[in-house]
Amino acid sequence: MKISQIRFAKLVVPLITPFKTAMRTVNNIEDVVVIIETECGQIGYGAAPSTPVITGDTHGSIIYAINHDIEPQIVGMEIEALNQILQRVHGAMVNNHSAKAAVEIAIYDLWSKWLDKPLYKALGGGSSQLQTDVTISVDDIDKMLKDCQLAIHQGFDILKIKIGKDIHMDIERVKAIYQAVGHQAQLRLDVNQGWTAKQTVFALGQLEQSGVQLELIEQPVHANDIAGMRYVTQHVSTPVMADESAFSPKQVIELIQTGAADIINIKLMKTAGLSHAIKIADIASVYNVECMIGCMLEGSIGVAAAAHLASAKANIINKIDLDGPALGQFDPVQGGVNFNGATISLGQGAGLGIESIAQLQPLVNGVWE
């Protein structure tokens, strides 16, 4: 099964409601789809969103990096030479994490098809059923309460609450949400780097004194403020999870060894794909640290790969934040992973199990058709 070429397409899925965080507001899921073809006619699928404020990658940079730097390194290689292919992908350039992730997902799709196994079984087995939380975008309190009630009505019992724009209003948002639905759902807070360390300690102190019980707080301070993360973990009882601070295995080791995080959030677009995500999960396991598997605002191709990984790793399985496909008005991907509200079901087809993708816009001569 020899790699012959890479093609691109775009996938656009309107959101049910705008996605709002401390960093951005988005109305659509928009992924670049990476299609790796082999000489025998087999196809592997990968995908990546544009997240310049997080990874620095845009659709244009992803396509350019793959076309000009990654594809020439791997065309002609046999897919069973997985480790050698991955070395070439990562050796082709520094950074460009989302480009590498999209290629890696397609490579792993082909590799597990070569093995004739679902990806999660090729990675070591595990459960075919997962439960995800759902994101509640930051908004006025009444809108957030309505979104929480709707999510619970749809079967979600873990809510990821986006905050981080105004600390005093954030405290009131969380108090109101906890009072309204805290007896029905677990709450995770995601500040998206919106507070300082001292603000975080103050806010959590206020919430804890009010009786608010939280499962965790995610990335309260700036990604580069490791000292701030450590300060927070030392002064609050709520578990602290690193997200934007945790891209690479080396960063994760530093976070764990310095006591700057209790939990690590793994996202394929940060780790540059599955291979480094696997390393991070294994490193965390050595230190007996739990991980969450998360996603950017992206569609079900990349999220499916993350779900397969979560199934295969015991220290990820209990913290799933893979609600991207559930936020869209429809899922254009047929076959493979089924995203049904809070329940994620992994299919038994080889690889990612994708059978077809509707509404793809191919890239032809630099133009989306």
Side-chain angles (χ1 to χ4, degrees), residues 87-156:
Q87 286 175 352
R88 290 198 180 187
V89 170
H90 288 278
M93 57 175 59
V94 299
N95 301 323
N96 291 274
H97 291 197
S98 297
K100 293 174 182 176
V103 171
E104 272 212 3
I105 292 166
I107 292 294
Y108 272 93
D109 187 20
L110 284 168
W111 172 71
S112 46
K113 286 177 178 175
W114 172 69
L115 294 174
D116 196 26
K117 293 181 178 181
L119 178 56
Y120 77 99
K121 290 187 177 180
L123 294 175
S127 173
S128 63
Q129 298 290 314
L130 307 173
Q131 294 295 120
T132 182
D133 64 13
V134 69
T135 299
I136 306 298
S137 289
V138 62
D139 216 311
D140 63 70
I141 291 177
D142 288 344
K143 176 65 164 62
M144 294 182 76
L145 288 175
K146 288 179 182 177
D147 290 345
C148 289
Q149 295 286 5
L150 177 60
I152 291 170
H153 178 72
Q154 292 172 336
F156 292 95

Side-chain angles (χ1 to χ4, degrees), residues 3-57:
I3 297 170
S4 60
Q5 68 168 333
I6 299 179
R7 295 187 287 111
F8 302 95
K10 184 165 73 170
L11 201 53
V12 179
V13 179
L15 294 174
I16 296 170
T17 188
F19 182 83
K20 299 179 182 180
T21 74
M23 301 176 69
R24 57 180 179 149
T25 297
V26 183
N27 294 303
N28 299 301
I29 297 170
E30 295 190 24
D31 287 348
V32 168
V33 179
V34 174
I35 304 163
I36 300 184
E37 297 182 352
T38 66
E39 290 183 350
C40 66
Q42 191 62 269
I43 289 176
Y45 292 100
S50 172
T51 53
V53 297
I54 302 172
T55 66
D57 298 298

Side-chain angles (χ1 to χ4, degrees), residues 49-227:
S50 172
T51 53
V53 297
I54 302 172
T55 66
D57 298 298
T58 65
H59 288 166
S61 70
I62 290 166
I63 293 167
Y64 187 91
I66 295 172
N67 259 340
H68 292 268
D69 296 281
I70 298 175
E71 182 177 16
Q73 295 295 321
I74 64 174
V75 164
M77 297 189 73
E78 296 284 352
I79 203 67
E80 54 263 41
L82 177 65
N83 289 335
Q84 288 74 24
I85 294 173
L86 299 179
Q87 286 175 352
R88 290 198 180 187
V89 170
H90 288 278
M93 57 175 59
V94 299
N95 301 323
N96 291 274
H97 291 197
S98 297
K100 293 174 182 176
V103 171
E104 272 212 3
I105 292 166
I107 292 294
Y108 272 93
D109 187 20
L110 284 168
W111 172 71
S112 46
K113 286 177 178 175
W114 172 69
L115 294 174
D116 196 26
K117 293 181 178 181
L119 178 56
Y120 77 99
K121 290 187 177 180
L123 294 175
S127 173
S128 63
Q129 298 290 314
L130 307 173
Q131 294 295 120
T132 182
D133 64 13
V134 69
T135 299
I136 306 298
S137 289
V138 62
D139 216 311
D140 63 70
I141 291 177
D142 288 344
K143 176 65 164 62
M144 294 182 76
L145 288 175
K146 288 179 182 177
D147 290 345
C148 289
Q149 295 286 5
L150 177 60
I152 291 170
H153 178 72
Q154 292 172 336
F156 292 95
D157 58 9
I158 307 173
L159 307 180
K160 182 175 179 178
I161 311 299
K162 292 286 190 179
I163 51 176
K165 285 198 166 186
D166 179 318
I167 186 167
H168 298 290
M169 181 58 69
D170 287 337
I171 292 170
E172 296 308 311
R173 287 181 174 109
V174 177
K175 285 181 180 179
I177 290 170
Y178 185 78
Q179 184 176 7
V181 302
H183 61 292
Q184 296 173 281
Q186 269 187 325
L187 301 185
R188 300 168 175 170
L189 299 190
D190 187 1
V191 187
N192 284 116
Q193 310 178 62
W195 296 343
T196 67
K198 289 185 177 180
Q199 284 178 325
T200 304
V201 173
F202 167 77
L204 288 180
Q206 293 290 305
L207 293 172
E208 290 168 1
Q209 289 173 21
S210 299
V212 174
Q213 297 180 9
L214 303 170
E215 184 187 5
L216 57 86
I217 184 167
E218 180 175 354
Q219 198 64 51
V221 305
H222 192 274
N224 295 327
D225 188 7
I226 305 305

Side-chain angles (χ1 to χ4, degrees), residues 341-362:
T343 302
I344 300 174
S345 303
L346 307 182
Q348 297 307 303
L352 296 177
I354 296 172
E355 297 169 3
S356 63
I357 306 174
Q359 301 187 25
L360 276 180
Q361 302 174 42

Side-chain angles (χ1 to χ4, degrees), residues 209-354:
Q209 289 173 21
S210 299
V212 174
Q213 297 180 9
L214 303 170
E215 184 187 5
L216 57 86
I217 184 167
E218 180 175 354
Q219 198 64 51
V221 305
H222 192 274
N224 295 327
D225 188 7
I226 305 305
M229 290 284 287
R230 184 168 60 250
Y231 179 86
V232 174
T233 61
Q234 291 173 344
H235 289 86
V236 303
S237 59
T238 300
V240 177
M241 182 166 70
D243 180 9
E244 288 91 349
S245 293
F247 273 62
S248 69
K250 184 177 179 181
Q251 287 175 318
V252 168
I253 292 171
E254 180 185 4
L255 287 164
I256 294 173
Q257 289 186 340
T258 60
D262 301 301
I263 307 165
I264 303 298
N265 191 346
I266 298 172
K267 294 178 180 175
L268 301 186
M269 297 302 134
K270 293 188 308 173
T271 63
L274 285 154
S275 62
H276 285 183
I278 292 166
K279 288 179 183 178
I280 288 172
D282 290 342
I283 288 166
S285 182
V286 169
Y287 289 95
N288 199 29
V289 169
E290 196 171 15
C291 295
M292 175 185 282
I293 190 72
C295 60
M296 304 300 182
L297 184 60
E298 56 186 295
S300 62
I301 299 173
V303 179
H308 280 270
L309 172 62
S311 172
K313 294 296 177 181
N315 63 333
I316 297 178
I317 195 71
N318 293 320
K319 285 184 169 54
I320 310 295
D321 177 32
L322 298 178
D323 62 339
L327 303 178
Q329 294 183 14
F330 58 88
D331 186 357
V333 178
Q334 299 297 314
V337 179
N338 179 34
F339 296 92
N340 183 21
T343 302
I344 300 174
S345 303
L346 307 182
Q348 297 307 303
L352 296 177
I354 296 172

